[in-house]
Amino acid sequence: MQRKLTVRDLRAGNRARVLRTLYFDRPRSRQEIATLTGLSQASVSTVVGELIAEGTVVEAGQVESDGGRPRVLLRVNPARGVVVGVDVGETHVLVEAFDLTLERLAGIELPAPRPLTPEAAATCVLRGVRRVLDDARAHAPVLGVGIGVPGSVDGGTVHAQTIGWHGAPLERLLRAGLDAPLHLDNGANTLGQAEAWFGAGRGAPTVVVALIGSGVGASVVVNGTPYRGAFGGAGEWGHTTVALDGARCRCGADGCLEAYLGAGALVERYRTLTPDADDDQERAFRSLLAARTPESERILAEAVRYAGLGIGNLINLMNPTRVVVGGWAGLLLGERHLPEIRKEAAHHALRRSFEQVEVVLGELGAESVALGAATLPVADFLANGGVPTR
């Protein structure tokens, strides 16, 4: 039986509608807010008055109106609170602090602990969070900390088979040292939400963000919200099989896409041909791209084919309006080979579905997983109508 909505529910819903409109379509007048939300002028005036009194919304100048008084423009107050975004990667941990409108205030990159145990990762994250909040010199309340992790998140535990985490109690480990609302999600999902909100996916109703980094993942974003599956495991694109009895993947299976497209796998192949290749994975990958030898070109040509194959599969499965290629390795590969990747995707995708989709590069840069993680507490704040999570 569906629960009957109360006056409090309706009020919270109205606040959320007004706040989301100002956040994504800023700045706006009260009249424009009423038109965009479908709320009455009286309801908008009441909600806006509350949000201004709380310091969540501020005036942002005036605009001339037709024959009447100038209309006051409103926007979300960036200083209302601070959010933190964390990218727990396999090679580094990036921690960044942002204001409410996601302008960067401070950041720090730390080397990933070795071995990357849940306990070591939690200690590293907490150290980074303390540092960036000190550097940001923030006097506004901390609205939340979002964390993107290499694996699926189910009830606060993390399952990341490729790095040996199974039911890792990361949320419990972090809450022991964190006095702020905490949000965990797969790193591909955080990247997907960031690109859908602010980057190459903006304005597209259905976006698939293909993340290519040390490993490979994907996020399906529908109307600005990632689809996470029943238990947080959706989007494991890297562990779809592309070759029966193929190369062994880090997850233990054979023929996974990640074994042919992940930067870790590509660099390992490059190192068999170039024993003096850099020990740092990203520098070695850049060297692979720059080498221009017959051997390196063969490795990259195969990677391009598998990228196109994988994207073609995503197009056939999800029928998106846009595919965004992201992740640090995806951006590097795409800057040089995106036309060939598109061509290969067209070969594997159904013709009509490919005609309706754009395949583009991400716009937010190589380190946008942390930015995306910061959208998690922001999304919660907006959904709650500007009331911080306790």
Side-chain angles (χ1 to χ4, degrees):
M1 182 177 178
Q2 189 173 7
R3 184 176 70 89
K4 185 177 180 180
L5 292 177
T6 66
V7 172
R8 178 179 294 180
D9 294 330
L10 293 172
R11 177 172 168 269
N14 289 346
R15 285 172 59 101
R17 288 161 73 181
V18 169
L19 197 52
R20 283 185 63 86
T21 297
L22 285 175
Y23 195 86
F24 293 109
D25 296 298
R26 56 185 186 264
R28 293 289 184 177
S29 68
R30 288 171 176 81
Q31 291 87 344
E32 289 173 317
I33 295 170
T35 300
L36 290 167
T37 61
L39 297 173
S40 68
Q41 292 280 359
S43 294
V44 169
S45 294
T46 299
V47 169
V48 166
E50 292 174 356
L51 294 173
I52 289 176
E54 295 163 8
T56 302
V57 168
V58 293
E59 294 184 358
Q62 296 181 335
V63 63
E64 295 296 327
S65 62
D66 297 331
R69 293 183 302 172
R71 294 179 178 178
V72 175
L73 296 176
L74 304 164
R75 65 181 174 89
V76 171
N77 181 10
R80 174 65 177 85
V82 174
V83 293
V84 177
V86 182
D87 174 12
V88 179
E90 297 183 43
T91 59
H92 68 274
V93 175
L94 178 64
V95 186
E96 296 184 307
F98 303 86
D99 68 21
L100 182 55
T101 57
L102 293 177
E103 288 295 322
R104 186 177 180 276
L105 302 173
I108 184 173
E109 183 176 308
L110 302 168
R114 289 288 180 267
L116 186 59
T117 64
E119 294 77 12
T123 298
C124 184
V125 167
L126 291 172
R127 184 167 71 249
V129 170
R130 287 192 289 267
R131 282 279 301 275
V132 297
L133 289 177
D134 287 343
D135 292 346
R137 297 180 175 85
H139 300 292
V142 179
L143 300 178
V145 177
I147 301 178
V149 296
S152 62
V153 179
D154 182 13
T157 61
V158 180
H159 300 261
Q161 194 164 316
T162 55
I163 58 174
W165 292 11
H166 183 71
L170 191 61
E171 182 175 349
R172 176 176 60 79
L173 294 169
L174 290 167
R175 286 199 185 281
L178 191 64
D179 185 24
L182 180 63
H183 307 263
L184 271 68
D185 203 350
N186 175 267
N189 283 339
T190 72
L191 171 64
Q193 187 155 282
E195 288 285 358
W197 281 19
F198 306 115
R202 187 176 177 119
T206 306
V207 182
V208 174
V209 178
L211 186 153
I212 306 170
S214 298
V216 174
S219 175
V220 180
V221 186
V222 181
N223 295 325
T225 301
Y227 171 72
R228 295 178 172 87
F231 304 104
E236 290 291 356
W237 179 49
H239 301 290
T240 54
T241 303
V242 294
L244 287 173
D245 303 318
R248 176 59 56 93
C249 179
R250 296 184 301 164
C251 73
D254 295 329
C256 292
L257 179 64
E258 185 170 301
Y260 295 90
L261 186 57
L266 295 175
V267 165
E268 284 305 308
R269 277 179 221 154
Y270 180 56
R271 284 176 177 151
T272 63
L273 302 172
T274 313
D276 60 345
D278 201 297
D279 290 337
D280 179 83
Q281 186 181 98
E282 184 170 341
R283 288 197 294 267
F285 189 78
R286 289 179 180 274
S287 177
L288 167 62
L289 286 167
R292 305 282 182 165
T293 63
E295 294 80 10
S296 66
E297 291 299 296
R298 277 197 293 272
I299 294 173
L300 292 174
E302 183 179 73
V304 164
R305 292 191 65 196
Y306 277 103
L309 165 63
I311 289 171
N313 286 342
L314 287 174
I315 292 169
N316 288 340
L317 184 64
M318 302 309 305
N319 189 212
T321 49
R322 199 168 299 160
V323 174
V324 178
V325 179
W328 66 267
L331 291 175
L332 290 171
L333 186 67
E335 284 170 4
R336 179 174 162 188
H337 293 291
L338 189 62
E340 298 99 302
I341 291 172
R342 285 197 190 104
K343 183 177 180 180
E344 191 69 28
H347 177 68
H348 294 282
L350 293 171
R351 182 183 307 163
R352 180 59 177 159
S353 295
F354 189 80
E355 288 173 347
Q356 296 172 314
V357 73
E358 298 175 277
V359 180
V360 299
L361 281 182
E363 295 178 356
L364 299 179
E367 302 297 353
S368 47
V369 169
L371 171 64
T375 68
L376 300 177
V378 173
D380 190 62
F381 184 77
L382 297 178
N384 290 337
V387 178
T389 301
R390 302 298 179 189

